[in-house]
Amino acid sequence: MFKKILIANRGEIACRVIKTARRMGIKTVAVYSDADAQAMHVEMADEAVHIGPPQAAQSYLLIDKIVEACKATGAEAVHPGYGFLSEREAFPVALAKEGIVFIGPNPRAIAAMGDKIESKKAAAAAKVSTVPGHLGEIGSPAEAVKIAEQIGYPVMIKASAGGGGKGMRIAYSRKECEEGFALARSEAKSSFGDDRVFIEKFIENPRHIEIQVLGDKHGNVIYLGERECSIQRRNQKVIEEAPSPLLDEKTRKLMGEQAVALAKAVGYDSAGTVEFVAGQDRSFFFLEMNTRLQVEHPVTEMVTGIDLVEQMIRVAAGEKLALKQKDVKLEGWAVESRIYAEDPFRNFLPSIGRLTRYVPPAEGVVHGGTIRNDTGVAEGGEISMFYDPMIAKLVTHAPTRIGAIDLQAQALDAFYIDGIQHNIPFLTALMQHERWREGRLSTGFIAEEYPNGFAPPAADGYGLGILASVAASIDHLNNTRRRHITQQMDGQPFSFAKRRVVRIGARDVHLEVTGGGDGPIKVAKVNGDGAIGTPIEVVSTWWPGQPVWTGTVGGEEVSVQVRPVLNGVHLSYRGAAADIRVYTEAEATLVSLMPEKVAADTSKLLLCPMPGLVKAIHVQAGQEVKAGDALAVVEAMKMENVLRAERDGTVKKINAKAGDSLAVDAVILEFA
Amino acid sequence: MRNVLEELERRRDIARLGGGEARIAAQHKRGKLTARERIELLMDEGSFEEFDMYVEHRSTDFGMEKTKFPGDGVVTGWGTINGRVVYVFAKDFTVFGGSLSEAHAKKITKIQDMALQNRAPIIGLFDAGGARIQEGVAALGGYGEVFLRNVLASGVIPQISVIMGPCAGGDVYSPAMTDFIFMVKDTSYMFVTGPDVVKTVTNETVTAEELGGAKVHTTKSSIADRAYENDVETLLQMRRLMDFLPSNNKSGVPLLPTKDVPDRIEMSLDTLIPANPNQPYDIKELILKVVDEGDFFEIQDQFAKNIVTGFARMEGRTVGIVANQPMVLAGVLDSDASRKAARFVRFCDCFEIPIITFVDVPGFLPGTAQEYGGLIKHGAKLLFAYSEATVPKITVITRKAYGGAYDVMSSKHIRGDVNYAWPSAEIAVMGAKGAAEILYRAELGDPEKIKARIDEYQARFANPFVAAERGYIDEVIMPHGTRRRICRALNMLRNKQAQNPWKKHDNIPL
């Protein structure tokens, strides 16, 4: 076994590999760019080597630098993680020249399967059914359109070297095909350093199901069941689960055996993933093979109990697979949410900055399930514009699918992040979504269920009751302790009214709040006729300043996130969030007399939706534009975002130019 | 007896109606509450006791004897805020537009006298049209009496002014001499002369809002310390503020029980200072993570944002926080920032509130605008205020402490009691680049040589140890333990005794 390995990656996956290596008694070497000097993977590793400036193309993507780092530290093997160099054929070749072992498949397998065009040819040769498409390289937009029209719209334009939705575009028309081709190419170039793209038929209403395979250098290959990753947003996976609610035992076996056959045909000798598109009728087509550890591998680990990184290291060291196919048993259900630094309320645009607060839920066994959080950041860490916006992968495992989903919802409630915008509100809301809970999925799920983007669900019914009870108990706690402030006048201590009006948005909940001090706080609903309902107990050890209120409301365990606002609290629970103020009845009456204030009108402005770099301004002052016209391109997090006119109008003034670095809400241009 | 009781109730009811229901409705329509509604929000429920409810003016000119309202346009009295005694007067806009008469002024001065004698804070709620013209010089005399009492009480009891409607002419000077002024957005304005007079004299056309609205006074003139959205929000915040303030200059700060432990560790503070010395960071993150429960009442949050001032608590006891803000103008000291912080430091010193200073200051702002604007004397105000302050003073240098600004920011030399530095601190005459370029002017033509000189200077002086070697820094501390250190230091200083030489008063460079 290796004594020391280097991890040619960053973020959560570097940390995750280090954890397993450490458990196996293997020393670890991290590499880092300037932007990651204080990153968690650098802290965790036994040694760390600086490899260049923040841009991945000048650091994490430089094979020479990694090889140099190996030689300098005496690392015998390299784990590439995912992304970056993980599927570059040249990387294991370069390592092999220096006698360094690549913890991944052999270069021939990468060549055969890593490239999406080559892999389709290989799959076709192995008689695996594939989706109709054009496997050759495409040189120009005109050629792209020609091919697209042969296949028939809609088509998907994808980076040959890509993955994870980067450099991928779907086109429903000639115009979109031309635009998508250019964008896919330029994104492919900036993300992967390889601008080749290909086109294939886009299958509607598909489900994304993939098979985890594991091979060794002795010709053994097994499959570790499937993962379903149908919950995607613009082809970027958001939620993954294992097993898939679609598959039956028969289909699982069929897919698994096909995946194994394919892997064997190319001499695959590591962990890999064979991706399929599945129809609702359980038909499936080979999509591509990822010759690396997948982001979503933890769900497989949770249901199989197998540490995939450990297996990768062992087979790379030449060990035979200790597992036979019959040893692989799927137990329970696992759900993974990807926590991204992106703003769900602004069309999921990337958000960067310092994590001023980062409090993940406690890991381990809870309520008969397990919570696991794979992360590469800690409070005080920085989400930079240079890398993938994923902050963490929150995984829950329980005996049943609903159990895993409910535990996921609970864990998300307690996941507290400040300093950047993130998609937890969206994920939490998803966990409540009936269609998701019933497992009626397709890759179009998010687009279909949230056609106008995501708006936070209004608290109602049960959720409203929880928010009101917690807000009232926080208010009660504050009132009670203020009775103990010093310098009070002698005589009778002051008192405060029991009747409270909890104002959540435009809704009022009338409550009577009693108890507290050493005993539980009791909250009772006051009905319209003044009758008081049965009080419920609200119990918590929460104290002001703590980010998450954890306790019981009427015996139910809940976690509610608390952020102070002027004269109140901002609470969030199960995706619903609101500024809440608790008034006395007298105060509430007076509040009603206060005028509504109108927010400033920004409809005449094009605001920069995220911090980023202006790549192009497509219009000039005085120009008339139609709704949908491209106005400007802003690049952030390696993604080029085209900003389009929301309505017809005339451009009055342009305030930014290509090359400008803009802050969020900076005015790019003004309309007349 | 019964008749007498009924008569009392009848007279009370009339008095409580102020200018009558129509005027109350008009007040509400403007988005404003009445004087009594405001007091009800400000005080503990049922604690307000009104004085002088039946006072009426005695003017006989211009037919005034025919229009009289009990209370005469101002509601005065006392009550409690979270059990602590507070005196209050609230202008009643529904009666003569809240205008000040001789009798009206007497009601206010009576309350002012009681507050001073009994050493409890006083809060004035302003919503009035100035002097009652019909009373002429008697009203002016009344103003003078109020002003005098503001001055006598200054530094003895906290005086708070809340502007909740018009406040013009003679009415503005009483708030101006109190400790803090708060305003309500869109419904309040303050100016010495209104838009009409301005038009006549200077031919400028401005609205009342443009001339003296909450935005102007919180961002431009710095007359107001904060502004809030509406009456309710404002008054509830005044309750919050009063929990921070001592009752008087001898009472010491109030103690609010907390479960936030003094030895709370904040690991993320270790990465607060960016690797690049020119990259800003938000000093408020440090403040919020160090103080009790992240509860910080900022004063002048919209003005001279390059310095942050406000109240917080450590182990339940009020402290004043002064901090350079690297996010704005790199945290530089300019005239506005110096004046803002100086006034805050002096308030804290008056009322025995310990001062915690977080330092990251690149120096004073250069330029003609600053020099012509009197930077020397404005900067001196802050230096003066820190120097004369005898309350416990704790200083934490997080990054830059350059030049004269280092001395100003509660340094050891001006009686800083405990001066800490983070390992990232650089206490130096100036930044390495500037220093090397002056010291080695002859080598300026050679970029390589000068770079070596900069690196040399950086290595020698860009750390806390040069200062620590001389005892200018008491200890270099880990950022994550800042709260624990400050709490310990405050406890150690609890019985601090320090006095300035006897003087009638000092002569701060105003």
Side-chain angles (χ1 to χ4, degrees), chain A residues 22 29 37 64 85-86 102 126 133 162 167 213-214 217 237 296 333 346 391 451 464 501 521 543 556 572 614 649:
Chain A
R22 190 185 278 167
V29 181
D64 291 353
L85 296 171
S86 61
F102 178 70
V213 295
L214 183 61
K217 294 185 199 282
K237 293 166 188 167
E296 59 273 22
W333 216 284
R346 283 171 162 254
I391 306 169
L464 188 75
V501 181
I521 292 170
W543 190 259
E556 278 296 302
S572 42
V614 180

Side-chain angles (χ1 to χ4, degrees), chain A residues 162-203:
Chain A
K166 294 248 160 62
M168 184 188 287
R169 286 290 188 282
I170 292 162
Y172 286 86
S173 67
R174 185 194 181 97
K175 190 179 168 214
E176 287 180 358
C177 183
E178 282 169 354
E179 269 184 23
F181 177 76
L183 284 169
R185 253 178 100 144
S186 109
E187 272 181 33
K189 177 88 181 161
S190 73
S191 294
F192 312 110
D194 178 349
D195 69 353
R196 287 177 303 151
V197 296
F198 70 96
I199 295 181
E200 67 179 21
K201 174 82 181 163
F202 177 62
I203 297 171

Side-chain angles (χ1 to χ4, degrees), chain B residues 189-341:
Chain B
Y189 51 85
M190 269 184 106
F191 35 65
V192 177
T193 47
D196 297 342
V197 181
V198 169
K199 177 77 186 158
T200 319
V201 177
T202 70
N203 207 28
E204 289 173 283
T205 309
V206 292
T207 63
E209 181 67 27
E210 286 163 356
L211 187 61
K215 185 154 190 203
V216 170
H217 286 316
T218 50
T219 61
K220 283 204 174 112
S221 73
S222 82
I223 299 297
D225 294 284
R226 269 195 95 144
Y228 299 101
E229 287 301 327
N230 58 47
D231 282 15
V232 178
E233 189 178 291
T234 308
L235 293 164
L236 293 180
Q237 281 298 303
M238 293 303 100
R239 287 180 60 86
R240 175 172 166 239
L241 173 66
M242 292 312 290
D243 284 349
F244 284 98
L245 300 186
S247 296
N248 59 62
N249 61 347
K250 291 275 181 68
S251 66
V253 298
L255 170 65
L256 181 69
T258 181
K259 287 185 186 167
D260 196 354
V261 291
D263 53 358
R264 175 163 50 80
I265 296 290
E266 290 287 350
M267 288 313 292
S268 59
L269 292 182
D270 290 351
T271 56
L272 181 65
I273 307 296
N276 176 353
N278 295 323
Q279 197 182 323
Y281 61 94
D282 190 355
I283 200 72
K284 285 188 196 168
E285 182 181 338
L286 170 59
I287 297 171
L288 293 177
K289 285 183 175 174
V290 163
V291 303
D292 284 1
E293 302 167 15
D295 190 8
F296 180 55
F297 192 105
E298 194 173 348
I299 296 292
Q300 300 225 338
D301 62 332
Q302 297 299 315
F303 181 76
K305 292 186 192 175
N306 38 333
I307 204 157
V308 177
T309 55
F311 299 108
R313 295 185 192 86
M314 300 296 274
E315 291 189 82
R317 289 186 168 85
T318 307
V319 293
I321 306 270
V322 178
N324 306 113
Q325 171 59 288
M327 299 269 280
V328 180
L329 295 171
V332 76
L333 281 182
D334 57 5
S335 297
D336 288 347
S338 303
R339 275 194 297 119
K340 168 180 164 180

Side-chain angles (χ1 to χ4, degrees), chain B residues 120-146:
Chain B
I122 183 165
I123 301 176
L125 310 180
F126 289 82
D127 182 3
R132 201 171 301 163
I133 310 290
Q134 296 91 334
E135 296 222 353
V137 74
L140 292 184
Y143 272 130
E145 302 275 337
V146 173

Side-chain angles (χ1 to χ4, degrees), chain A residues 264-467:
Chain A
K264 278 189 173 164
V266 293
Y268 200 82
D269 54 354
S270 185
T273 297
V274 181
E275 296 193 341
F276 292 95
V277 174
Q280 301 293 342
D281 58 355
R282 299 199 186 94
S283 63
F284 57 89
F285 306 95
F286 171 77
L287 196 61
E288 64 183 47
M289 180 166 186
N290 294 318
T291 59
R292 54 167 156 87
L293 189 65
Q294 293 279 91
V295 174
E296 59 273 22
H297 74 275
V299 290
T300 298
E301 295 187 328
M302 298 298 272
V303 293
T304 59
I306 295 165
D307 183 331
L308 284 167
V309 172
E310 179 185 341
Q311 295 299 322
M312 287 177 84
I313 295 173
R314 289 193 183 283
V315 296
E319 288 185 20
K320 272 191 184 169
L321 276 183
L323 294 155
K324 299 268 180 294
Q325 189 62 53
K326 65 175 169 49
D327 301 329
V328 179
K329 300 238 159 43
L330 305 184
E331 268 178 47
W333 216 284
V335 171
E336 173 183 283
S337 293
R338 295 193 189 187
I339 319 281
Y340 284 113
E342 54 185 27
D343 188 344
F345 308 116
R346 283 171 162 254
N347 202 20
F348 296 91
L349 289 165
S351 173
I352 58 171
R354 177 177 157 84
L355 292 166
T356 55
R357 280 281 177 225
Y358 177 79
V359 189
E363 290 183 271
V365 176
V366 276
H367 307 302
T370 308
I371 297 175
R372 165 177 169 178
N373 184 40
D374 281 20
T375 190
V377 295
E379 188 166 293
E382 189 86 17
I383 304 297
S384 82
M385 61 185 289
F386 298 105
Y387 312 111
D388 189 89
M390 197 172 73
I391 306 169
K393 302 181 313 204
L394 182 66
V395 189
T396 52
H397 181 250
T400 62
R401 185 168 186 272
I402 282 299
I405 290 172
D406 284 342
L407 188 58
Q408 180 76 215
Q410 244 183 62
L412 285 166
D413 277 342
F415 206 134
Y416 191 101
I417 300 176
D418 263 349
I420 53 151
Q421 299 301 317
H422 52 79
N423 65 339
I424 289 178
F426 176 61
L427 295 169
T428 320
L430 265 178
M431 290 301 144
Q432 317 301 311
H433 200 291
E434 273 315 306
R435 195 178 142 192
W436 153 250
R437 294 174 73 89
E438 288 163 15
R440 290 185 289 115
L441 311 179
S442 90
T443 53
F445 181 94
I446 289 175
E448 287 156 26
E449 299 299 324
Y450 301 94
N452 303 315
F454 173 66
D460 56 4
Y462 178 74
L464 188 75
I466 296 286
L467 289 177

